[in-house]
C-alpha cells in the first residue's frame, strides 16, 4: 500500500486536510461521470499548483499522428485518442480583487473533500486566508446528472469570516485546452463560435480531423443568503473563451453563492446545426428544476443503481468502501445506453491508454454488466465488436491475413488499431479469443441464443479464420504451433506456443464449428445468409478442424503442468518471495530484457485459461497450476489480483483470496501502483466485482442454472450481492454461519448450492 | 538492381543527363569527404527541387531527446546524433537578375557529373537556358583537401552562350540549418558571431548542449577569362548568414569564374577562442596555393592512398568500379588520424543511424584498415573502445549488471548508448563479442601483443564479466543458457540460445582467460595492475570457466546443424527461392510479426560464427550450415552478401560468390535497397574489400603467416590487391592461369599458398 489518506467510510470517499502533493491523485479518485461525460475532480476556482486538468465527452476522440522511435510496417498511422474537452466547470473567484488560489493563499484549513457514492455528488469545503488576510469559508458541490446526461451542476458558496469583502464570481467556458499526452502538440479543437445571451453562454467547437461537433454551455445565477440576486453580469468573450463576472459586496458572515449548470451537446445526439438550441432546451429544464431539484433526481437515480448493483460487506469498512468505489466508478463510466460506446481502461478519469476499448471489456467487464443491468447492455457491448468486424478484417489484411480473417485491434476507438508496439499490436493476438469468449459467456449467462445467428457467428467466423491462418505446421513437432506471440502476461514478448493463446485459438475454432452446426440445423435462413456472405466452404471448415485437432501445447512431465510457453523451464525459477524487495515493482526497477528473461508473470496467463475454461480442467489440475505459477506472479497488472482471488477462493485458500481481494478493490484508493494521478483503473474494477460474486460467492452458470459455493473471509461478518439472472433478481447474503437467498420475480428458480439443487420462490427467504 | 544511371567507368562515377528524380540519390553517391568532414553532393547554386542537404563535421554531434512510442526502463534519454553542420558550399548565381535553379530553368542540357576517385574531386557541368532565355554553360569542380583537412575548394565557372549578361556570384555561409531527422525540431546550433573582412567571412557557432565550438569560414575571389577581378564585393550579414555579391557584366563567350575556399575550424583541434584566427591561417595557406595548387596536392594525396589500397579487376568494368567506389568511400570517411573518431555506417553521406559507431567497425572494418594502413590505425580503433570502457560498465549497470561487467552500446558517439528499441538496445548483445574478437584479430594480424596488457585485457575482462552474468543456468537443460537475445540476424528478436551469441560468449570468456594466463606469466607488473584495478579473483575466474565449459548450443540431429536459436525448426521452412517475389523485400512488404515468425534471415547469423571462428569448424561443417541457412537468407542487410561471398568462395561456389560480390560492391551504385538517397552504406564497403581479399584471394593469417587460396570468377581476366603485413607490402595478382606475389620491404616473407610454404623475397616476382 502506498498511500493512506482516504478516510475509511462505507459510502463516501473522503479526504481531510489540504496537501498539494495529493491534488493530482485526488483529482483522479474524486472523478465524476455519468456514462456520457466525465471529469477529473479539478477545482472550480483557479489553482496554480500541480494539477492534471481533464473533462471528457464519451465518443469524442482525435486521431493523433503516431509517434514511435522506429517505425514497423503495419503500425497504424494514427492513434485515436481520448480528448480533453472544453471545460465548463471553471469559476474564478476574486476577493477584494485577489484571486482565490489554494496554492498561493496564506492558509488553508478544514479542507474536506467528499465523493458521496450513494447519492452521486462531489463536495469540497475549506477555510482559506488570502494574502489580503480576508478569511473565507467555501463550500462547493457538483455532480453530473444521470437523468439528463448532457448536463452537470455546481453550487459554489463563499462566506467571508473576518470582514466584509467584495467578491466576484467569474464562471467561464474554455475551449483553449490541450491534451497532456499529445504526440506532436497538434491543435485538437477548432472553436467555431462563441456566443452568450443573458446568463447563458455557448462555445461551439469541432474536433480537428474527426469533425465531432460539440457545444459546451453554461448558465449561472448568484444568490445572497439563498436569495437570488438579479444583477446582470458583465461579459468577456474571446476566441476560445467566454466568462461572466458577478461582483458583489458581501458583509462578513453573509453567504454569496453561485449556481452553475453546464455540459455538452454533441452531434451524435443532435443535428450539428442545432447544438446551441439543444443546449438551451436542456438549460430550460434544469433552470426549472434548480440545483436542488436536479440533485434530488440524482439521488433517486443512484438509489436505483445501488438497488441493483450494491454489494454490502459487514465488519470491514475498507473492503466495503473498496467494492462500492469500484461499482460506483463502473456505473459512472458506462451505462450501456449507446452501442457506439465502450469502457475505457481509465474511463473519464485520465488520458492514458488513448483508445477506449481493450480486451478488458470482454474478459473482465461483461460479467458485471450482465449481472447488474438489463441483458441488452451486454448485448450492446457485443454489438460494438460486430459493428467493427469489417475494420478487424482490414486490420488482419494489413498483417498479411486474407479471406475474411479478422484480428480485432488491441486498443480502439472506432474499430481501427490504436496501438504501436510491435510486441503488443501485432503479437498480443489472444485478444481475439476474449472477443469470441464473450459471445459464449453472454449466451451461457443470458440464454439468449438469438445474438449468435443474428450477429455473433460472423464475428466467430472472422476470428476462427484468423487462428487457422495464424497457426503454422511444425514438421518438427508434427503439430500446429503458434509462433511469435505475447500472451496476457506482457512480461513475455514474442514467445512460441503460449499455452493460453494456443488453447483459446483451439477453443475459438471448435466453438465456431459447433455454432455453425447448430445454426445450420436450427436457423436455416441465417445459415445460408452467413455462409454466402462469408464465402465459407466445407473444405475450409475441415482445414480449421485439422488445426484445432492438432494444436500443440507445451507441457512439462516433470512438473505435470502446461508450460506458459516453449522454453519456460530454461528460466532461473526464483520465486517472487525469494526476490529482493528492493527490486519490486520490476516494471519500475528493471530494464525490459531483464523482465523478459525472468520467470515473473505480470498477470494470470496460463491461469487465465484455467479461469475461462474451468470446466475443462479438474480442481487438482487448477491447484497444480496455481501452485506452479502464482509464486512467480508479481501482479503488476491491475487485472491480475481478481483472477487469482477467484481461484484462491475456489481452492479454499481464503487468506490469500482475501489479500488479493483487498488489492484489487483498493488498487486505486491505496495507490498500489503509484500512478493513480494518471487516472483510475476502471476495467479492473469489474474484476473486483467478480472476486466477490464468482470468488467468494462461487457463482457459476452451469446448464442454464446458477450455482454457488459460498465462502466468506474470516475478517467479514457477512456480505451480500444481487444478480439479475434472466430477468429475475436473486439476492445472495452470505454470513459466517449461513447463506440466504431471496428472489424478486414471478417464477420459481432452481439454483445449485454446493452442487445441491435448491428451489427459490419469489419473496421467500431461503437459508442454507 | 533498382537503378542503372551510373556510367560504368574504371576510375570515376559518372552521371549523364539531368533527371530531378535522381538528384537525392546522386547527392549521396557523389558525396565527398576527407575523414575530418564530408558533404553530400548538393549543388552550389540554389535548387528548389527535392534535395537532402548535408554537411558534416567529424565528431560534432548533438544529444537529441529520445523519441519513442512506449518508454522502457533503461532507454537512453538522449540520442547522440550526427549534426548537419553550417554550410559553406553555397554560391547563389543570378543571370540578369534571375536566379539559376536547375529545377525551374527552361532547359538543362549536357548535364554531367563526375566523381573522380583517382584524384579525389567532384565536377559538374551543364548547359542551362533560363526563363529569360539566356543560355549559360556552367562548369563546377570541388574537393575537400586531404592535406589540409579543415578546408575545401570550389571552382565555379559560367559562360553566357547566346548573349551578354550581367552575372552575380553570391557565395555565402549559412548556419540556419536543421537536421531532417530531428526528433523534436530542437534547434541544434547557436550562432555566436558572424563576421567578415575583405573577401573572407566567418560564422562562429556552437552546438547546443554539447557545446562544440566551430567556425565555418569562406574566402572567395572572381575571375574573367582566368584573370582576377579586383572589385570588392558587397556584403550581406545576418544572424545566421553572411554572403558576398560579385556583380559583373560578362560578354557572350567570356567565362566568369569564382574560386571559393571554405571549411571548418573546431575546438577539438584549436582553442575555442581562436577559431577565427585558425581559419585565417588556413586561408592564408590556401590563398597562396590557389585552387589549382591545392588540387595538385589532392591528386598526390589520393595517389598515395591508391598506391596502398587499390584493388584492380580486369575484364569487368562494373566490378572494378564497385570495388574502387567502396575503397574510395572508406578512405573519405576514416583515415585513422584521431582516436576519438570512428566509422559511421553512413559516413558523411547522410543523417540516418544517428550515432556513429556500431559493431560494424570491429566486425567488418578493422581488417580493411589493418591491411591498407599503418597498424596504428587499427590500434586507434581498438583504443576508441578502451576509452569508452567506463561508459560501457555504466551502461551494463543500467541494465542490472554489476561488478565491472561491460556492455558496449549498440550505437554510440561518445560511449553512451544511442539506440532505443528494446530488442536491439538491450538484446542485441552479441556486439560485445565483436569488440573482443577485434582485439584477437588485431593481434593475429599484426603480431602486436603489447596492446593486450596495455589496454585490451581490461576491455576483455569487462566483456567476459558481462557474459558470465548474462548467462543463466537452466536446471532443465543442465547447461548455461542465454535467454532473450537478438542475434546478428535482426529478423529474430528476443530468442533463446542464439547459436552465434552463445558461441561468441563462450569464446570471449575462454579468450580472456587465456590472455590472463599469458599476461600473468609474461607481463607480471601489468598483471598486478590490471587484477587490482578490476578486483578480479581466482574464484570469479573459475565461475567464468564454469559458464564457458557448460554453455548450451541448440543442435538438430536430424539436419546435423547447429540451430540459429531454440525453436528454429518449428518454423515453416519455405526457402527464399520458393517465396513469391512480390513479397520481397520482406522488410518493406511484411509486418514485423510475420518477419519474426518466418525462417528468413537478414544477414549471416550462424554463418557469421563460422566466419569468425572458421578454424574451429571443418569445411564439411561449413558446407552443411551454408546449405542449411543460405537458402533462408534474404540478404536485406548491407552486411550480408560479403560474408556469404567469402564462404561461397571457400566452398568453391564461384558463381554464387561472384553474385554476392557484385551485390556488396554495387549495393549503393545500383541502389539494391532503394534507399541510397538517405546515404551510403559505408561499413559494408569494408566487407566488399574482404570479399576479394579473403573471399577470392583466400587470404588468412595462420600462425603468424599469411596464407592464400587464390580463386577467380570466370568473368574476370585478373585482379590484384596489396596488403600491409607487419610493415611489408605484399602485392597479390591473380589471373585465370596463375597468381603472382610481389613484396616491398626489407626481409623475406614466408607465405602459404594452398597450404604450401612459399618464400617471397623483396622485389622479386613469384608466380605460382
Amino acid at each position: 500500500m502506498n498511500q493512506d489518506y482516504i478516510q475509511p467510510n462505507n459510502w463516501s470517499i473522503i479526504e481531510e486536510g489540504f496537501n498539494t502533493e495529493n491534488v493530482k491523485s485526488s483529482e483522479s479518485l474524486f472523478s465524476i461521470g455519468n456514462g456520457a461525460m466525465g471529469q477529473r475532480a479539478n477545482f472550480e476556482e483557479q489553482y496554480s499548483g500541480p494539477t492534471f486538468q481533464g473533462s471528457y465527452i464519451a465518443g469524442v476522440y482525435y486521431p493523433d499522428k503516431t509517434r514511435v522511435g522506429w517505425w514497423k510496417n503495419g503500425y497504424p498511422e494514427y492513434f485515436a485518442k481520448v480528448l480533453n474537452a472544453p471545460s465548463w466547470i471553471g469559476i474564478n473567484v476574486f476577493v477584494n480583487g485577489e484571486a482565490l488560489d489554494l496554492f498561493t493563499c496564506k492558509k488553508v484549513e478544514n479542507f474536506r473533500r467528499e465523493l458521496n457514492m450513494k447519492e452521486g455528488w462531489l463536495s469540497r469545503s475549506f477555510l482559506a486566508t488570502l494574502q489580503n488576510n480576508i478569511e473565507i469559508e467555501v463550500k462547493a458541490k457538483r455532480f453530473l446528472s444521470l437523468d439528463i446526461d448532457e448536463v452537470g451542476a455546481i453550487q459554489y458558496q463563499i462566506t467571508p469570516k473576518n470582514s466584509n469583502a467584495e467578491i466576484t464570481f467569474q464562471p467561464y467556458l474554455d475551449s483553449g485546452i490541450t491534451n497532456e499526452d499529445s504526440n506532436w502538440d497538434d491543435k485538437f479543437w477548432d472553436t467555431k463560435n462563441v456566443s452568450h445571451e443573458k446568463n447563458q453562454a455557448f462555445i461551439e467547437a469541432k474536433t480537428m480531423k474527426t469533425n465531432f461537433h460539440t457545444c459546451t454551455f453554461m448558465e449561472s445565477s448568484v444568490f445572497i443568503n439563498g436569495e437570488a440576486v438579479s444583477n446582470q453580469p458583465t461579459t468577456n468573450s474571446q476566441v476560445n473563451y467566454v466568462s461572466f463576472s458577478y461582483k458583489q459586496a458581501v458583509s462578513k458572515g453573509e453567504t454569496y453563492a453561485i449556481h452553475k449548470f453546464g455540459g455538452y451537446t454533441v452531434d451524435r445526439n443532435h443535428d450539428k446545426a442545432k447544438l446551441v438550441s439543444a443546449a438551451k432546451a436542456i438549460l430550460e429544464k434544469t433552470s426549472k428544476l434548480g440545483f436542488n431539484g436536479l440533485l434530488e433526481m440524482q439521488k433517486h437515480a443512484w438509489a436505483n443503481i445501488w438497488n441493483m448493483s450494491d454489494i454490502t460487506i459487514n465488519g470491514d469498512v475498507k473492503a466495503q468502501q473498496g467494492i462500492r468505489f469500484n461499482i460506483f466508478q463502473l456505473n459512472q463510466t458506462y451505462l450501456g445506453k449507446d452501442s457506439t460506446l465502450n469502457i475505457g481502461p481509465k474511463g473519464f478519469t485520465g488520458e492514458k491508454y488513448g483508445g477506449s476499448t481493450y480486451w478488458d471489456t470482454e474478459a473482465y467487464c461483461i460479467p458485471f454488466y450482465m449481472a447488474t443491468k438489463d441483458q441488452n447492455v451486454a448485448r450492446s457491448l457485443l454489438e460494438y465488436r460486430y459493428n467493427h468486424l469489417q475494420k478487424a478484417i482490414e486490420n488482419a489484411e494489413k498483417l498479411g491475413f486474407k479471406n475474411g480473417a479478422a484480428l480485432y485491434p488491441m486498443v480502439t476507438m472506432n474499430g481501427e488499431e490504436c496501438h504501436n508496439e510491435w510486441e503488443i499490436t501485432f503479437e498480443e493476438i489472444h485478444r481475439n479469443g476474449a472477443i469470441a469468449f464473450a459471445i459464449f459467456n453472454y449466451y451461457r449467462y443470458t440464454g439468449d441464443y438469438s445474438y449468435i445467428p443474428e450477429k455473433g457467428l460472423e464475428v466467430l467466423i472472422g476470428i476462427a479464420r484468423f487462428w487457422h491462418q495464424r497457426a503454422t505446421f511444425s514438421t518438427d513437432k508434427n503439430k500446429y504451433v503458434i509462433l511469435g506471440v505475447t500472451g496476457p502476461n506482457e512480461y513475455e514478448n514474442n514467445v512460441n506456443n503460449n499455452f493460453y493463446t494456443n488453447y483459446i485459438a483451439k477453443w475459438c475454432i471448435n466453438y465456431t464449428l459447433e455454432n455453425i452446426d447448430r445454426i445450420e440445423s436450427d436457423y436455416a435462413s441465417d445459415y445460408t445468409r452467413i455462409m454466402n456472405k462469408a464465402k465459407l466452404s466445407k473444405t475450409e471448415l475441415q482445414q480449421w478442424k485439422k488445426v484445432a485437432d492438432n494444436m500443440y501445447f507445451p507441457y512439462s512431465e516433470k512438473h505435470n503442468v502446461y508450460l506458459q510457453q516453449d522454453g519456460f523451464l530454461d528460466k532461473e525459477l526464483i520465486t517472487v518471495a525469494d526476490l529482493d524487495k528492493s527490486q519490486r515493482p520490476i516494471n519500475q526497477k528493471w530494464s525490459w530484457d531483464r523482465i523478459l528473461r525472468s520467470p515473473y508473470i505480470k498477470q494470470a496467463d496460463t491461469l487465465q485459461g484455467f479461469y475461462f475454461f474451468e470446466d475443462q480442467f479438474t480442481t487438482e489440475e487448477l491447484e497444480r497450476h496455481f501452485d506452479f505459477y502464482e509464486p512467480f506472479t508479481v501482479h503488476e497488472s491491475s487485472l491480475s489480483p481478481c483472477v487469482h482471488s477467484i481461484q484462491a477462493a475456489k481452492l479454499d485458500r481464503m487468506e490469500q483470496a482475501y489479500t488479493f481481494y483487498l488489492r484489487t478493490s483498493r488498487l486505486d484508493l491505496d495507490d498500489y501502483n503509484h500512478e493513480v494521478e494518471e487516472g483510475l483503473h476502471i476495467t479492473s474494477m469489474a474484476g473486483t466485482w467478480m472476486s466477490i460474486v464468482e470468488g467468494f460467492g462461487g457463482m457459476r452458470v452451469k446448464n442454464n442454472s446458477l450455482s454457488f459455493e459460498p465462502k466468506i473471509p474470516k475478517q467479514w461478518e457477512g456480505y451480500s450481492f444481487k444478480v439479475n439472472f434472466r430477468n429475475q433478481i436473486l439476492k445472495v447474503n452470505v454470513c459466517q454461519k449461513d447463506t440466504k437467498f431471496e428472489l424478486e420475480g414471478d417464477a420459481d428458480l432452481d439454483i445449485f448450492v454446493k452442487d445441491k439443487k435448491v428451489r427459490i420462490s419469489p419473496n421467500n427467504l431461503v437459508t442454507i
Side-chain angles (χ1 to χ4, degrees), chain A:
Chain A
M1 207 183 323
N2 294 306
Q3 72 179 18
D4 200 15
Y5 70 83
I6 299 301
Q7 308 289 316
N9 181 292
N10 280 334
W11 272 112
S12 285
I13 307 302
I14 297 166
E15 175 186 12
E16 286 179 344
F18 184 63
N19 182 344
T20 55
E21 293 195 352
N22 292 341
V23 167
K24 286 167 88 173
S25 296
S26 290
E27 285 174 340
S28 296
L29 290 169
F30 291 81
S31 290
I32 55 177
N34 65 3
M37 61 174 156
Q39 51 186 229
R40 292 172 55 81
N42 305 129
F43 298 159
E44 289 87 359
E45 77 279 0
Q46 176 182 322
Y47 183 69
S48 57
T51 168
F52 173 19
Q53 299 285 311
S55 292
Y56 311 97
I57 307 172
V60 174
Y61 59 86
Y62 176 86
D64 205 14
K65 190 161 169 258
T66 300
R67 188 184 74 197
V68 293
W70 300 87
W71 188 265
K72 307 279 190 199
N73 288 332
Y75 276 166
E77 302 215 4
Y78 296 94
F79 188 120
K81 185 159 275 179
V82 171
L83 273 193
N84 186 19
S87 170
W88 63 261
I89 65 160
I91 304 173
N92 291 326
V93 175
F94 300 91
V95 179
N96 284 1
E98 179 182 335
L100 171 62
D101 179 337
L102 291 189
F103 196 66
T104 58
C105 59
K106 268 195 176 164
K107 208 155 60 171
V108 182
E109 294 166 293
N110 299 349
F111 182 91
R112 184 177 191 277
R113 182 151 32 183
E114 177 178 356
L115 178 65
N116 187 305
M117 301 186 288
K118 187 170 185 181
E119 301 182 345
W121 49 259
L122 166 68
S123 75
R124 187 165 54 106
S125 57
F126 56 86
L127 215 56
T129 308
L130 279 72
Q131 293 296 337
N132 59 22
N133 291 317
I134 295 179
E135 189 182 295
I136 55 171
E137 185 181 60
V138 174
K139 291 183 180 178
K141 185 178 275 190
R142 81 177 188 244
F143 60 93
L144 299 181
S145 173
L146 286 180
D147 296 279
I148 309 174
D149 67 8
E150 291 168 303
V151 79
I154 304 172
Q155 181 188 58
Y156 197 100
Q157 300 175 315
I158 300 190
T159 310
K161 303 298 280 186
N162 60 348
S163 81
N164 301 340
E166 185 191 77
I167 295 178
T168 305
F169 285 128
Q170 201 175 78
Y172 64 87
L173 302 177
D174 178 11
S175 61
I177 36 76
T178 55
N179 264 47
E180 287 205 347
D181 70 348
S182 161
N183 281 340
W184 306 97
D185 294 331
D186 281 11
K187 190 184 158 211
F188 291 159
W189 287 97
D190 179 17
T191 301
K192 308 302 285 182
N193 193 40
V194 177
S195 61
H196 55 91
E197 202 181 312
K198 292 183 189 158
N199 64 342
Q200 298 181 344
F202 309 90
I203 295 187
E204 291 164 271
K206 76 173 187 61
T207 56
M208 309 294 283
K209 293 189 193 167
T210 35
N211 294 318
F212 293 117
H213 289 256
T214 64
C215 170
T216 308
F217 60 84
M218 68 170 177
E219 176 184 285
S220 50
S221 39
V222 292
F223 304 83
I224 283 282
N225 294 334
E227 293 294 315
V229 180
S230 60
N231 311 4
Q232 278 305 305
T234 60
T235 305
N236 172 8
S237 176
Q238 299 172 24
V239 180
N240 297 314
Y241 183 90
V242 56
S243 68
F244 296 134
S245 273
Y246 297 90
K247 190 182 281 188
Q248 180 73 39
V250 184
S251 304
K252 174 177 161 183
E254 282 193 326
T255 298
Y256 185 43
I258 180 168
H259 289 185
K260 181 178 183 183
F261 293 110
Y264 309 102
T265 47
V266 296
D267 62 353
R268 202 174 62 249
N269 302 319
H270 304 278
D271 182 336
K272 72 181 178 200
K274 296 181 181 161
L275 295 177
V276 171
S277 56
K280 285 181 179 170
I282 290 162
L283 288 173
E284 197 183 332
K285 264 194 268 181
T286 54
S287 270
K288 279 185 193 149
L289 290 161
F291 180 86
N292 290 321
L294 196 62
L295 181 58
E296 282 310 305
M297 287 170 69
Q298 180 80 343
K299 291 176 185 176
H300 284 116
W302 274 103
N304 285 335
I305 288 177
W306 287 116
N307 183 44
M308 185 56 234
S309 61
D310 191 23
I311 290 182
T312 67
I313 296 174
N314 294 327
D316 188 342
V317 178
K318 286 195 154 194
Q320 174 69 78
Q321 187 180 35
I323 186 64
R324 284 206 173 116
F325 183 67
N326 286 224
I327 295 167
F328 180 71
Q329 292 295 352
L330 283 163
N331 277 289
Q332 290 208 118
T333 304
Y334 183 75
L335 291 160
K337 292 180 185 171
D338 184 336
S339 73
T340 66
L341 301 180
N342 208 292
I343 306 143
K346 295 237 175 286
F348 301 115
T349 71
E351 298 173 359
K352 218 182 162 185
Y353 301 122
S356 168
T357 311
Y358 285 63
W359 70 296
D360 304 25
T361 294
E362 282 77 11
Y364 295 92
C365 298
I366 279 186
F368 169 80
Y369 285 102
M370 285 196 299
T372 68
K373 306 276 176 211
D374 186 273
Q375 72 184 40
N376 282 328
V377 171
R379 188 169 170 132
S380 196
L381 287 170
L382 299 190
E383 282 168 349
Y384 179 92
R385 297 294 190 175
Y386 174 76
N387 294 334
H388 290 172
L389 177 58
Q390 190 49 42
K391 291 215 163 130
I393 291 170
E394 287 160 21
N395 186 42
E397 282 168 357
K398 275 177 77 174
L399 304 189
F401 300 92
K402 46 199 175 182
N403 191 25
L407 176 60
Y408 280 90
M410 190 66 205
V411 185
T412 194
M413 193 69 88
N414 63 350
E416 287 166 13
E417 179 62 82
C418 283
H419 198 88
N420 54 8
E421 266 176 311
W422 63 264
E423 63 274 20
I424 306 292
T425 312
F426 302 153
E427 296 205 342
E428 200 172 335
I429 53 177
H430 69 80
R431 60 194 185 241
N432 244 10
I435 288 162
F437 182 81
I439 295 172
F440 160 80
N441 204 11
Y442 171 79
Y443 167 57
R444 177 172 63 175
Y445 191 86
T446 65
D448 170 24
Y449 193 75
S450 70
Y451 179 72
I452 300 182
E454 280 173 32
K455 299 186 167 171
L457 186 62
E458 288 179 56
V459 170
L460 291 173
I461 288 170
I463 290 172
R465 276 180 158 152
F466 172 80
W467 290 122
H468 164 234
Q469 292 174 37
R470 186 58 165 76
T472 53
F473 187 72
S474 162
T475 49
D476 198 53
K477 292 197 160 68
N478 199 27
K479 287 276 185 185
Y480 284 90
V481 293
I482 301 185
L483 305 180
V485 306
T486 294
N489 168 21
E490 291 172 331
Y491 289 175
E492 300 282 352
N493 292 157
N494 194 43
V495 298
N496 294 337
N497 294 309
N498 170 261
F499 168 78
Y500 174 80
T501 304
N502 287 21
Y503 199 90
I504 208 163
K506 176 187 169 111
W507 176 87
C508 284
I509 291 176
N510 285 335
Y511 183 63
T512 306
L513 290 172
E514 197 180 289
N515 279 287
I516 289 173
D517 282 350
R518 177 163 174 188
I519 289 166
E520 182 173 17
S521 62
D522 299 355
Y523 299 81
S525 73
D526 285 314
Y527 178 78
T528 311
R529 173 181 55 80
I530 294 165
M531 298 300 271
N532 285 342
K533 186 170 169 191
K535 300 197 181 63
L536 194 57
S537 69
K538 291 280 175 193
T539 321
E540 189 179 344
L541 298 184
Q542 282 155 10
Q543 287 166 346
W544 294 3
K545 194 165 183 316
K546 201 168 146 198
V547 170
D549 288 349
N550 295 285
M551 185 65 78
Y552 171 74
F553 298 101
Y555 192 81
S556 164
E557 298 293 341
K558 180 176 165 195
H559 299 278
N560 214 1
V561 293
Y562 288 105
L563 291 176
Q564 185 179 277
Q565 74 248 2
D566 283 349
F568 186 80
L569 291 181
D570 276 341
K571 292 168 178 282
E572 285 190 310
L573 295 171
I574 297 163
T575 64
V576 177
D578 286 335
L579 183 64
D580 194 311
K581 279 203 171 49
S582 70
Q583 307 294 300
R584 302 280 311 279
I586 60 172
N587 67 9
Q588 289 174 21
K589 301 294 173 68
W590 286 5
S591 62
W592 194 242
D593 60 316
R594 191 170 180 189
I595 290 175
L596 291 179
R597 64 181 179 271
S598 82
Y600 302 119
I601 299 170
K602 186 181 175 194
Q603 71 181 88
D605 190 294
T606 305
L607 293 178
Q608 182 76 32
F610 277 72
Y611 168 67
F612 275 169
F613 304 110
E614 192 184 61
D615 295 344
Q616 299 171 29
F617 302 98
T618 66
T619 305
E620 290 66 39
E621 283 177 307
L622 172 63
E623 185 158 36
R624 219 156 49 224
H625 286 79
F626 191 90
D627 285 342
F628 187 77
Y629 287 110
E630 198 288 323
F632 298 115
T633 307
V634 288
H635 305 290
E636 290 176 9
S637 159
S638 65
L639 298 171
S640 189
C642 56
V643 171
H644 289 88
S645 181
I646 294 166
Q647 292 180 331
K650 182 173 162 113
L651 297 172
D652 277 325
R653 301 176 183 189
M654 291 302 289
E655 258 319 300
Q656 214 177 357
Y658 177 71
T659 305
F660 284 131
Y661 166 76
L662 274 193
R663 186 159 171 166
T664 178
S665 71
R666 296 189 62 87
L667 176 75
D668 289 323
L669 289 176
D670 295 338
D671 199 10
Y672 276 89
N673 292 350
H674 255 302
E675 49 163 30
V676 75
E677 62 182 43
E678 296 174 356
L680 306 176
H681 297 83
I682 299 298
T683 48
S684 78
M685 293 178 174
T688 305
W689 179 90
M690 297 194 300
S691 302
I692 291 188
V693 175
E694 300 182 11
F696 301 146
M699 185 178 94
R700 302 287 186 276
V701 183
K702 293 180 184 166
N703 306 316
N704 290 307
S705 294
L706 286 176
S707 79
F708 296 88
E709 295 265 354
K711 293 171 185 175
I712 180 167
K714 69 175 192 314
Q715 292 83 349
W716 296 357
E717 292 164 15
Y719 67 95
S720 75
F721 59 87
K722 281 184 181 173
V723 294
N724 171 2
F725 185 68
R726 304 189 178 183
N727 301 318
Q728 303 207 87
I729 312 290
L730 181 69
K731 181 170 182 183
V732 183
N733 199 323
V734 185
C735 301
Q736 291 291 349
K737 289 193 184 157
D738 57 28
T739 302
K740 295 184 178 64
F741 295 92
E742 206 170 353
L743 186 68
E744 296 171 26
D746 302 323
D748 288 354
L749 184 71
D750 285 343
I751 64 169
F752 290 80
V753 182
K754 298 188 179 170
D755 291 328
K756 272 200 185 150
K757 189 189 278 192
V758 179
R759 174 153 300 179
I760 316 282
S761 303
N763 307 314
N764 184 16
L765 191 71
V766 176
T767 304
I768 292 167

